Amino acid sequence: MEVFVRNLPEQSTEKQARQIFKPLLAELNINIFHCHKPRGKGFAKITISHDDVQKGRTFLDLHGQHKPGREGFKSVKRKIFHMGQPVNCSQSHNRPDEFVLKSLEKEKAEGRTTKQRNRTPISNSRGTKLRRVYDFSFIQCGIMDYAGNDLSFVAHHQEFAAGSLTFGRRSVLIVLNPQIPGLPVRQIEVPYHSVESLIVGKSTNPYITFSLAEAPRFFENMPDAETSLVDQLGELDLQPHQKKPNPPQRRRMTAINPSHQVIASTCLCYRFKVNSTDVLAILTLKRLPSYPDLVRWDVWQMSQDAFPVQMTRLNLALGSASDRVFSFETKFQLQKLVQNGYLPPYKVEELTQVIKATFSNVEQSTLAAAVRRLTFQIPFPGPGTEGSDISLSTLRKQLIENYDTILHEKAYSNDIVQQYEQLASIHKATVTPAGIYLYGPEPEMKNRVLRKYSAFSNHFLQVTFSDEDAEPVRYDRTASLQHIYHGRFKRVLESTITVAGRPYEFLGFSHSSLRAQTCWFMAPFTWSGELRYARAVIKDLGDFSAIRSPAKCAARIGQAFSQAFSSVDIPREAFRHLPEVERLDERGIRRTFSDGVGTCSMSILRKVWETYAQSRALKPTVCQIRYAGAKGMISLDDRLDGDALCLRPSMIKFEANSRQIEICGAGFKALPMYLNRQLIKILEDLGVPGQAFLDLQADAVEQLRFTTENPINAGYYLQRNIIGKAARLPWLIRKLWYIGMSFSDDSFLRDTLELGVLIQLRELKYRSRIYVENGFTVYGIMDETGYLEEGQIYCSVKNEKTGLVLTGRVVVTRCPALHPGDVQYADAVDVPQGSPLRAVHNCVVFSQKGKRDLPSQLSGGDLDGDLYNIIWDDTLMPTRLAEPADYLTATPIDIGGEVTRSNITDFFIQFMENDQLGRIATLHQTLADQKPQGVFDPDCIQLAELHSTAVDFSKTGIPVDLSKLPRASKVRPDFQAPGPRVLIGDHITMEEWQAPPGDDSDDEEDEIEGTTPGIQYYESHKVLGRLYRAIDEHDFFAEIQRRSRVARQSQRISLAAKVWAYVRVKTALIQYEHHLGFARDVREGYEDNMIDTMLENSAHPTHFVSEVEVFVGALLGKNGAQTKRQREFSTSMKEKHDRDVSYTVQCILQGEEEDTSKGEALERSIACLDVAVHETRARKRFGRLVSFTWVAAAVCLKEVEKFIGA
């Protein structure tokens, strides 16, 4: 049943409404209910489960108003008041939301009341509820430093503002009361995962000090006048039928106030003076789960020069130093030490003097690398760190040691970029609401600009805009983000980022980097005798003057920033024009069948192979290219003679003079086909039985389980998923088994397999990413011969050993698919012998005949590089099809004049602010589950169109009209719930249960007043819910760990020591000791690169990802599957680590450049294994790194195998 509540203050929140009714309902033993109070409205709805309807009637009998008006309220038996005014309750005339009822049923079925959800009772040893709220009298912000060896706090900002600390389950909320009446209340949110240490003083020194790894989030309540103004402005854009949105109650800020802004990103210690009587009570919180460790420590305050004064002195010191004393790279690393919070400015200034005195006339690249390594080595100031650990003498000693080591390693890290012509060493910056952080340099694939100005790569800066946790700034309906986007971020884009004295200004971005909220900045440099600025670089790319749309202009400029594996020079006379293949459909709409695709001759393709594919056995016949102002696909046409590159008008986007083909991708092989949730839902509603998906998923889970049964399976699993390939890990696992050893006897190798399996299991459970054996993913091109009829395709796939030409009926689709018509049938046919189509492979060839081209029917696809999914699995064939969507092509916004840099940066901001793809997709998923018609429901059809608009936003500049988003139930299907956290420490562990974000497990624990209420979930009976519940990750993970323990016997000797013993038995007479020094250098270089990768792929400079994540090549999702950004980070992280490992293996096999013992690969590998096994050491902050042991072991065992065979 549903109870309707009237006469609540419009300003009251859902939390407050819940607090009113919770004790009243609990008296009647109603412990599970749902409360919905819309913001800015004076009513609420209470939903009670079917089982409690009788109790609900009793509630209404006691508190309900059965007659209207004042007289009716007088007759209420037990009246309810809130904020001094009467609250009216009555039975609602509407039916309760069925999905809210389902969520209540789910909660009851799981046997959890709200309190039972908490894993630990919120009480102390005496059984009384613990206090969560503590008052403070003033706040300070600064850093931790040392007076001699004594830990001290240095305040760089303070306010005598009283307020409160509220300790919730996942974060602490700090509220600062206004010092002057009428000023807004300010708030600071500190997530517990960002707390490095929490120090509580004694009663004589009653301070609580948070040392953070990332800047907190700052808010202030919006005054009523501003809220009213936002409300009125919002109404200006509304159509008569549209509902007025509720204005946000607070706004996100960049700091506590303007004076705090200067230090908000680098001073990450917050100190509060509390009542002396509260100290002991605060200490009792440390017994609760998920809380940061509380340490009892007296930290006294010391004074230093103001932070801006220190920064000014440091900047002068760096600015006055010539490039001979400090190169840009060295200055960058020194500035990074301050900007990322490793050291205070005064200490870095002192360090610059030490460097000048110690390192004169040295190799600057080595010095820069030595300073960079300090970021790995500087410990976090706190109770566990001695002052001497970060003293100037210690830093000097560490620098000298770093320099000598790197010099001995031949500047190892630079060799990676020197080895690969397509890579450039790029410095990076991340802009957050609080500050700017520096990273790198890191190897990046070159684009056209970097290729042209390769001698000036350090004048280009890759800049990412994100929140403090490295994720995009998230949409928050309760908080205005205007100050972040149009204040903070816009100022950075309009001005410059000064790094090591160089002013970097905005340059541009590619299409993919726009979605990643990343762009390029550049600093001026001298080119051909003149100073070159960003404007001149853009002008040289081509003529964009005729483009009047900022989004379209940015996209065209962005073609030059697309990463390309290589470039190939072709003669000007090779370029030819091809006509478009167009046809009018029955509605008179012109359809382009050749949109984005051209052809090339064998001669041109051979030039590409020589540059790009020389190490591959199979040569691609389709390539995704950039050429001058053109972009799209080219395919081999073996009828063309000589050098011929044939492009169509749809490929040519602007005029440019470049005559190089840049290769962005190619059809080396058919990619695997994976289902996802959107596609599964469409196929289900098109008649595919749910059991088909359950069977595919069960097979995938069984394969994962099978993986862990024995080493042979494990090795093949790692090989199939390209885990540890560069380190020869799959071969190593099998080799160990052949010589009577098991990888499961080593915790790191065990964790490597378990982490790989767990990540894939979570991809199955939380994304339904299910492998389809009878399917693949390929580029699409057009039939240039005209042989294929309407509805036919030609699809030939090849690898090094076999080939396949599909025939028969197949399903064709592409991602993202939301509309039911995004899935279509096609007839796969073979072509005659001698047909030019026989020369192309690893692609799908679409017909040029018919009323409408098939690619455009599949989520609005074209042929400029889109990937298509082909499925010929009989169990996945739909029993019906839907008409494909046919959305009108939006006309890009025309500003009526030439596009300026400011127009483009405005669009960049607009895109960050209004990119709604994820939100729309999630809402579509929810409604498709809740609506009886599924994806055919009008609301889902509407969302599919809005999703198409959101996809095109990057090219049209037209954002999604959020007022058109259909309403959904306040509860969600269970398959959208987050999963338990997985922790990586000495071994991998999974939490038993994690409260979902926003879960209102106890009203007193709600961290933030007025934020998004807790999400409740119901049990979905559609196929996605069944797939989700079919996987119990706790049981699965416990099973593989149990199996590992059973297989592993108690070992006195480590697996590495066993491998060493085996090697020495087989090579007893081999002398290798003269290579031990070389082996130490190789390990040093490998581990430094490992640490660099661990840091560069973390959410914040002072955090790092685990060694096993780097080794596997995948970041672990916090609460389920990986986020999109984690997947992107994982890809680049894997590429870098694979390059590092390949280089390490090459060093072991080939030795140093001047090494005369080229043939002593066996001896070098034995030396490396000896060093890895016997010379163990722990790195500050990172502990003992162990993966080098297994890189060396794989090389050594392979060389031993050759030696024995010889």
Side-chain angles (χ1 to χ4, degrees):
M1 69 180 296
E2 184 175 273
V3 176
F4 192 77
V5 182
R6 297 181 181 84
N7 208 33
L8 288 170
E10 292 184 358
Q11 294 77 17
S12 64
T13 65
E14 187 165 290
K15 169 192 165 184
Q16 290 173 327
R18 185 177 178 84
Q19 285 177 328
I20 295 169
F21 293 100
K22 183 179 178 180
L24 301 175
L25 292 169
E27 290 177 6
L28 301 172
N29 202 26
I30 301 176
N31 296 309
I32 296 176
F33 64 94
H34 181 268
C35 175
H36 173 55
K37 161 56 172 78
R39 287 190 304 115
K41 304 294 181 182
F43 66 88
K45 297 176 183 178
I46 306 294
T47 306
I48 298 170
S49 70
H50 288 307
D51 294 342
D52 292 330
V53 167
Q54 191 57 49
K55 299 173 186 175
R57 290 177 180 146
T58 303
F59 171 83
L60 287 175
D61 184 57
L62 292 172
H63 304 286
Q65 184 172 333
H66 306 292
K67 295 180 181 179
R70 188 174 298 176
E71 292 301 318
F73 184 73
K74 288 181 180 179
S75 66
V76 174
K77 296 177 183 178
R78 290 178 58 184
K79 298 177 177 60
I80 303 173
F81 291 89
H82 178 59
M83 295 185 179
Q85 65 185 53
V87 175
N88 305 326
C89 299
S90 61
Q91 184 162 351
S92 173
H93 298 299
N94 299 322
R95 292 172 59 87
D97 185 319
E98 64 172 303
F99 297 102
V100 171
L101 290 174
K102 283 184 177 182
S103 74
L104 298 177
E105 291 168 9
K106 178 176 182 290
E107 196 169 349
K108 284 201 167 192
E110 292 172 346
R112 292 201 311 258
T113 63
T114 304
K115 286 184 178 179
Q116 286 171 331
R117 274 185 254 163
N118 302 330
R119 291 176 298 156
T120 304
I122 311 304
S123 59
N124 59 23
S125 57
R126 293 187 297 275
T128 58
K129 183 169 284 192
L130 293 176
R131 277 182 59 195
R132 298 300 188 98
V133 183
Y134 297 89
D135 295 331
F136 60 82
S137 54
F138 73 85
I139 177 177
Q140 296 175 308
C141 177
I143 62 171
M144 286 293 187
D145 205 348
Y146 293 86
N149 227 17
D150 296 328
L151 183 65
S152 304
F153 177 79
V154 181
H156 287 295
H157 176 85
Q158 64 182 19
E159 288 189 38
F160 290 92
S164 62
L165 296 156
T166 302
F167 291 87
R169 280 203 169 272
R170 294 167 298 279
S171 62
V172 59
L173 175 68
I174 299 144
V175 177
L176 280 73
N177 300 326
Q179 295 172 275
I180 301 174
L183 291 180
V185 174
R186 292 165 294 168
Q187 299 173 340
I188 306 173
E189 287 181 29
V190 179
Y192 291 142
H193 66 76
S194 71
V195 179
E196 289 284 347
S197 66
L198 182 50
I199 302 173
V200 181
K202 297 179 180 177
S203 56
T204 54
N205 185 27
Y207 287 93
I208 180 168
T209 307
F210 294 83
S211 291
L212 308 180
E214 65 187 44
R217 291 160 180 76
F218 304 97
F219 299 87
E220 70 175 26
N221 289 353
M222 293 181 70
D224 291 340
E226 285 194 41
T227 301
S228 176
L229 179 61
V230 171
D231 201 8
Q232 293 171 31
L233 291 174
E235 289 183 34
L236 296 179
D237 295 328
L238 294 179
Q239 301 299 320
H241 66 279
Q242 294 175 357
K243 291 190 175 183
K244 181 178 68 175
N246 292 317
Q249 301 299 309
R250 59 180 188 160
R251 59 185 166 209
R252 179 83 180 268
M253 306 299 290
T254 58
I256 296 173
N257 58 31
S259 64
H260 179 244
Q261 179 68 71
V262 182
I263 64 165
S265 64
T266 48
C267 295
L268 300 180
C269 292
Y270 288 82
R271 199 172 193 229
F272 305 89
K273 186 172 184 180
V274 297
N275 294 325
S276 58
T277 55
D278 288 342
V279 170
L280 292 177
I282 292 172
L283 286 171
T284 61
L285 296 174
K286 67 183 180 181
R287 293 196 298 272
L288 299 176
S290 76
Y291 278 74
D293 292 333
L294 276 71
V295 180
R296 191 79 179 273
W297 200 277
D298 262 341
V299 178
W300 298 98
Q301 190 167 330
M302 60 182 285
S303 60
Q304 291 176 357
D305 288 341
F307 198 88
V309 173
Q310 294 184 35
M311 280 302 300
T312 300
R313 286 204 304 260
L314 174 61
N315 290 332
L316 287 173
L318 293 178
S320 63
S322 67
D323 289 344
R324 188 177 58 81
V325 177
F326 289 138
S327 67
F328 167 80
E329 285 76 10
T330 302
K331 292 177 182 178
F332 181 94
Q333 299 303 331
L334 288 168
Q335 184 171 332
K336 182 166 79 170
L337 289 175
V338 175
Q339 212 148 312
N340 292 12
Y342 293 108
L343 292 173
Y346 84 89
K347 187 155 285 186
V348 177
E349 183 196 1
E350 292 174 351
L351 188 60
T352 60
Q353 304 306 319
V354 169
I355 294 174
K356 287 179 182 179
T358 309
F359 299 92
S360 57
N361 298 319
V362 297
E363 188 177 299
Q364 282 294 322
S365 62
T366 306
L367 178 58
V371 177
R372 182 179 186 177
R373 286 193 183 179
L374 285 180
T375 60
F376 314 160
Q377 298 156 341
I378 296 171
F380 202 92
T385 302
E386 296 290 334
S388 58
D389 292 342
I390 54 175
S391 67
L392 203 58
S393 60
T394 300
L395 295 175
R396 178 181 179 276
K397 180 181 177 182
Q398 192 68 64
L399 264 180
I400 294 172
E401 183 180 322
N402 290 349
Y403 185 89
D404 291 343
T405 301
I406 296 168
L407 200 60
H408 205 58
E409 294 169 1
K410 308 295 185 186
Y412 176 89
S413 59
N414 292 332
D415 286 339
I416 296 294
V417 172
Q418 293 169 7
Q419 268 199 339
Y420 299 91
E421 184 185 351
Q422 70 268 30
L423 297 179
S425 187
I426 298 301
H427 295 79
K428 301 181 180 183
T430 296
V431 180
T432 73
I436 300 176
Y437 303 96
L438 304 179
Y439 297 88
E442 289 298 318
E444 283 286 326
M445 196 73 70
K446 288 180 181 176
N447 53 46
R448 185 178 303 176
V449 175
L450 293 177
R451 193 170 288 109
K452 180 174 182 177
Y453 302 109
S454 57
F456 299 92
S457 61
N458 64 17
H459 285 73
F460 295 89
L461 188 69
Q462 193 180 78
V463 180
T464 299
F465 291 79
S466 76
D467 213 330
E468 308 302 336
D469 60 359
E471 291 292 327
V473 175
R474 299 173 185 85
Y475 166 77
D476 183 352
R477 67 181 179 86
T478 70
S480 167
L481 298 173
Q482 288 286 312
H483 278 243
I484 304 302
Y485 287 121
H486 298 280
R488 167 74 177 151
F489 288 174
K490 180 61 175 175
R491 281 195 301 271
V492 172
L493 287 163
E494 286 291 325
S495 58
T496 59
I497 297 175
T498 301
V499 182
R502 284 185 188 170
Y504 287 82
E505 62 177 332
F506 173 81
L507 182 62
F509 46 83
S510 68
H511 181 263
S512 59
S513 71
L514 171 64
R515 294 208 174 277
Q517 301 186 0
T518 297
C519 58
W520 289 95
F521 278 49
M522 68 160 283
F525 54 86
T526 302
W527 172 264
S528 300
E530 64 178 27
L531 199 59
R532 181 139 298 203
Y533 292 90
R535 185 185 300 273
V537 169
I538 297 298
K539 187 177 180 180
D540 278 357
L541 294 177
D543 183 8
F544 308 100
S545 59
I547 303 174
R548 295 292 186 257
S549 165
K552 192 173 181 179
C553 186
R556 300 298 170 248
I557 294 172
Q559 288 177 213
F561 295 102
S562 297
Q563 292 184 337
F565 297 98
S566 61
S567 63
V568 182
D569 290 310
I570 67 165
R572 183 180 296 271
E573 57 272 16
F575 172 65
R576 304 177 191 176
H577 285 281
L578 269 182
E580 297 287 1
V581 178
E582 296 178 322
R583 194 169 291 109
L584 295 177
D585 66 9
E586 62 274 5
R587 293 189 296 161
I589 298 174
R590 187 174 298 278
R591 304 292 186 180
T592 304
F593 288 70
S594 56
D595 190 4
V597 66
T599 62
C600 69
S601 64
M602 178 60 79
S603 174
I604 291 291
L605 207 53
R606 285 198 182 101
K607 293 182 188 334
V608 172
W609 292 346
E610 289 171 8
T611 304
Y612 180 34
Q614 55 190 356
S615 64
R616 311 253 185 162
L618 191 65
K619 310 300 184 185
T621 55
V622 294
C623 298
Q624 186 181 21
I625 67 160
R626 300 289 184 267
Y627 173 76
K631 65 186 284 284
M633 293 293 297
I634 56 172
S635 63
L636 171 64
D637 187 341
D638 60 8
R639 298 170 298 182
L640 296 171
D641 296 324
D643 288 338
L645 176 67
C646 306
L647 305 181
R648 290 188 163 91
S650 60
M651 302 175 72
I652 300 170
K653 308 300 182 181
F654 62 92
E655 292 300 320
N657 295 320
S658 172
R659 288 297 174 261
Q660 288 185 324
I661 296 179
E662 297 166 318
I663 311 300
C664 300
F668 282 109
K669 63 179 181 180
L671 301 174
M673 163 65 198
Y674 290 94
L675 298 172
N676 57 42
R677 283 180 170 172
Q678 283 85 3
L679 183 54
I680 288 171
K681 185 58 188 154
I682 290 174
L683 289 173
E684 179 190 28
D685 291 344
L686 292 178
V688 176
Q691 194 59 44
F693 306 109
L694 288 163
D695 290 344
L696 283 175
Q697 178 176 274
D699 289 343
V701 173
E702 190 58 32
Q703 283 187 19
L704 289 178
R705 186 175 283 110
F706 184 65
T707 290
T708 62
E709 287 185 352
N710 61 60
I712 300 300
N713 296 348
Y716 283 119
Y717 165 80
L718 296 172
Q719 182 175 327
R720 187 171 62 251
N721 291 279
I722 320 176
I723 295 175
K725 180 181 177 181
R728 304 177 179 179
L729 183 62
W731 178 87
L732 173 66
I733 298 274
R734 294 193 294 267
K735 179 65 178 179
L736 290 172
W737 182 75
Y738 291 142
I739 62 176
M741 303 179 198
S742 174
F743 77 94
S744 62
D745 289 340
D746 180 78
S747 60
F748 181 80
L749 293 180
R750 202 164 57 243
D751 284 350
T752 297
L753 181 68
E754 288 178 1
L755 181 64
V757 168
L758 182 59
I759 287 173
Q760 286 209 354
L761 185 75
R762 297 192 124 196
E763 290 288 295
L764 283 170
K765 183 173 178 70
Y766 297 102
R767 290 179 64 205
S768 298
R769 190 170 185 267
I770 303 172
Y771 174 65
V772 179
E773 185 175 3
N774 293 334
F776 46 60
T777 304
V778 288
Y779 286 113
I781 61 171
M782 188 192 73
D783 171 21
E784 300 287 346
T785 69
Y787 174 81
L788 298 175
E789 298 298 328
E790 182 179 8
Q792 291 182 336
I793 63 169
Y794 171 70
C795 195
S796 169
V797 296
K798 289 184 181 180
N799 57 32
E800 289 84 350
K801 298 178 181 179
T802 61
L804 170 68
V805 176
L806 287 183
T807 57
R809 192 168 69 162
V810 298
V811 170
V812 187
T813 184
R814 65 180 285 270
C815 292
L818 275 77
H819 190 279
D822 290 339
V823 173
Q824 295 293 324
Y825 276 131
D827 291 321
V829 300
D830 201 352
V831 295
Q833 291 291 337
S835 168
L837 296 183
R838 288 265 178 174
V840 298
H841 50 254
N842 295 334
C843 61
V844 55
V845 184
F846 293 102
S847 171
Q848 59 169 268
K849 299 177 182 179
K851 297 294 186 182
R852 181 182 176 187
D853 58 303
L854 182 54
S856 72
Q857 300 176 48
L858 310 173
S859 306
D862 55 32
L863 301 177
D864 72 350
D866 286 357
L867 292 167
Y868 293 87
N869 305 124
I870 314 295
I871 304 172
W872 65 96
D873 188 318
D874 290 339
T875 66
L876 297 179
M877 294 294 167
T879 58
R880 64 167 174 157
L881 293 179
E883 282 296 314
D886 194 7
Y887 308 125
L888 293 175
T889 302
T891 302
I893 291 174
D894 189 331
I895 62 172
E898 189 169 343
V899 175
T900 65
R901 188 183 79 165
S902 182
N903 296 141
I904 292 177
T905 57
D906 281 341
F907 169 66
F908 190 80
I909 292 290
Q910 184 191 24
F911 187 87
M912 284 195 289
E913 190 176 20
N914 293 284
D915 184 15
Q916 301 290 334
L917 269 176
R919 183 181 175 192
I920 294 169
T922 300
L923 182 56
H924 180 275
Q925 211 175 83
T926 302
L927 288 176
D929 188 78
Q930 294 176 352
K931 300 288 187 177
Q933 292 179 269
V935 295
F936 287 90
D937 186 88
D939 282 348
C940 289
I941 298 296
Q942 169 82 348
L943 283 169
E945 183 172 2
L946 293 176
H947 193 271
S948 177
T949 302
V951 169
D952 292 339
F953 179 23
S954 60
K955 293 174 285 187
T956 64
I958 301 173
V960 170
D961 183 351
L962 295 182
S963 67
K964 293 182 178 179
L965 288 179
R967 290 182 174 273
S969 172
K970 297 300 179 183
V971 295
R972 296 182 184 177
D974 54 353
F975 58 80
Q976 291 182 344
R981 291 192 67 183
V982 175
L983 308 175
I984 300 178
D986 294 336
H987 56 279
I988 300 174
T989 57
M990 184 182 294
E991 290 187 349
E992 281 302 312
W993 182 81
Q994 172 86 11
D999 180 84
D1000 56 344
S1001 45
D1002 193 323
D1003 293 328
E1004 293 183 8
E1005 297 163 29
D1006 287 344
E1007 290 104 77
I1008 302 165
E1009 178 78 22
T1011 57
T1012 305
I1015 298 170
Q1016 291 178 283
Y1017 300 92
Y1018 63 87
E1019 191 172 284
S1020 167
H1021 297 294
K1022 304 284 181 69
V1023 69
L1024 289 176
R1026 294 164 64 195
L1027 288 168
Y1028 172 80
R1029 292 188 298 278
I1031 296 176
D1032 188 323
E1033 58 185 323
H1034 279 109
D1035 286 353
F1036 182 94
F1037 194 59
E1039 179 189 339
I1040 64 173
Q1041 289 195 321
R1042 184 168 56 250
R1043 184 181 297 155
S1044 174
R1045 285 195 298 270
V1046 170
R1048 188 171 73 252
Q1049 299 176 354
S1050 178
Q1051 299 291 331
R1052 287 176 148 189
I1053 182 171
S1054 70
L1055 179 61
K1058 285 183 178 180
V1059 172
W1060 172 251
Y1062 170 85
V1063 167
R1064 289 313 290 145
V1065 168
K1066 299 296 182 181
T1067 61
L1069 300 179
I1070 299 295
Q1071 300 298 313
Y1072 68 89
E1073 289 80 2
H1074 55 294
H1075 289 297
L1076 287 173
F1078 164 82
R1080 295 184 187 101
D1081 291 342
V1082 171
R1083 181 179 71 169
E1084 185 83 21
Y1086 172 87
E1087 291 188 349
D1088 284 337
N1089 277 281
M1090 169 62 75
I1091 290 172
D1092 192 36
T1093 307
M1094 291 163 68
L1095 283 170
E1096 293 294 339
N1097 290 280
S1098 66
H1100 193 272
T1102 57
H1103 278 178
F1104 53 88
V1105 301
S1106 67
E1107 183 183 16
V1108 69
E1109 286 175 286
V1110 174
F1111 200 70
V1112 169
L1115 297 172
L1116 188 65
K1118 291 179 182 177
N1119 295 98
Q1122 296 172 313
T1123 64
K1124 181 181 178 182
R1125 183 158 290 197
Q1126 283 179 320
R1127 291 195 293 274
E1128 292 168 352
F1129 272 39
S1130 293
T1131 300
S1132 60
M1133 179 179 76
K1134 181 176 175 56
E1135 289 172 353
K1136 179 184 182 300
H1137 182 63
D1138 284 350
R1139 288 194 299 265
D1140 292 341
V1141 172
S1142 297
Y1143 185 81
T1144 300
V1145 171
Q1146 180 184 329
C1147 285
I1148 298 172
L1149 294 176
Q1150 298 181 7
E1152 299 173 283
E1153 289 183 10
E1154 69 275 9
D1155 194 347
T1156 58
S1157 57
K1158 293 290 185 184
E1160 295 191 356
L1162 174 60
E1163 289 82 348
R1164 284 189 295 271
S1165 68
I1166 296 173
C1168 288
L1169 185 60
D1170 188 354
V1171 167
V1173 173
H1174 299 116
E1175 298 183 15
T1176 59
R1177 63 171 183 171
R1179 298 253 191 164
K1180 286 181 180 177
R1181 292 179 59 202
F1182 302 93
R1184 180 173 172 247
L1185 301 179
V1186 297
S1187 58
F1188 178 74
T1189 301
W1190 301 111
V1191 174
V1195 178
C1196 188
L1197 287 173
K1198 191 70 175 177
E1199 292 304 308
V1200 169
E1201 187 179 83
K1202 294 178 186 177
F1203 175 71
I1204 296 172

